[in-house]
Amino acid sequence: MTNRNGERQIVNRRAELNTNETDESEKVIEGYFAVFNSETELFPGAFEEILPGAFDNTLENDVRALINHDTALVLGRNVSKTLSLRVDDKGLWGQIKINPLDSDAINLYERVKRGDVSQCSFGFNIIKEQGMARRWFSQMVVRRSRTA
């Protein structure tokens, strides 16, 4: 995500991530990657809230799940069917099929399983931003985005 000055920003937010093994003994990381109407403090005094509709018309794009926003560390990708995404009333739910031959993916899977990793972040391009005064703080509301 970039701010108004074009500088890259990374926002980590508490997620509802779980690990699971499917009937085919595939390891997966799954859960809500973003929850609607849940305020997150980006930095002291600045808040973000993702509203329903923020992911409309974006999930058909080539979406990738990355480790630490590193494009060299791809965990899953929707076009290769290793990343599944869907939006419901609660937020953006996703499932990543873990490659058992990828040590970075297995390490992350085990960290999520142990509870050491409980946050995720996502990158997006802001199409429309609404700023609101909140006492003397600022708040950004994402109404619709284009996932990066």
Side-chain angles (χ1 to χ4, degrees):
M1 176 173 75
T2 58
N3 64 15
R4 291 180 182 162
N5 299 324
E7 300 164 330
R8 184 175 175 187
Q9 292 180 302
I10 296 174
V11 179
N12 292 313
R13 60 184 76 246
R14 185 126 183 94
E16 298 176 16
L17 300 177
N18 300 299
T19 58
N20 202 352
E21 289 196 34
T22 65
D23 294 338
E24 296 84 31
S25 296
E26 278 186 322
K27 293 182 182 325
V28 297
I29 296 174
E30 61 187 2
Y32 281 91
F33 296 169
V35 177
F36 296 140
N37 301 312
S38 176
E39 189 174 85
T40 299
E41 189 168 17
L42 304 174
F43 48 87
F47 301 85
E48 177 182 76
E49 181 180 351
I50 300 171
L51 298 180
F55 300 104
D56 290 355
N57 304 315
T58 63
L59 300 183
E60 67 278 354
N61 297 335
D62 183 4
V63 180
R64 300 164 194 197
L66 308 174
I67 298 175
N68 292 328
H69 294 265
D70 187 337
T71 56
L73 298 174
V74 178
L75 288 170
R77 199 168 170 184
N78 66 337
V79 296
S80 65
K81 309 284 189 239
T82 54
L83 171 64
S84 300
L85 298 167
R86 75 169 187 263
V87 175
D88 61 23
D89 291 340
K90 186 172 183 174
L92 175 65
W93 182 91
Q95 181 185 70
I96 304 164
K97 294 179 183 178
I98 299 301
N99 178 352
L101 302 177
D102 181 341
S103 61
D104 293 315
I106 293 295
N107 289 341
L108 180 61
Y109 174 87
E110 291 299 329
R111 289 182 181 116
V112 171
K113 186 176 179 179
R114 286 185 356 171
D116 296 336
V117 173
S118 61
Q119 294 179 321
C120 69
S121 59
F122 60 93
F124 57 92
N125 298 317
I126 298 172
I127 294 172
K128 182 179 180 183
E129 182 179 54
Q130 176 183 339
M132 300 183 327
R134 181 181 161 161
R135 295 186 190 170
W136 43 93
F137 302 118
S138 66
Q139 182 176 26
M140 179 176 71
V141 178
V142 178
R143 295 203 180 277
R144 180 178 282 168
S145 67
R146 190 172 294 161
T147 54

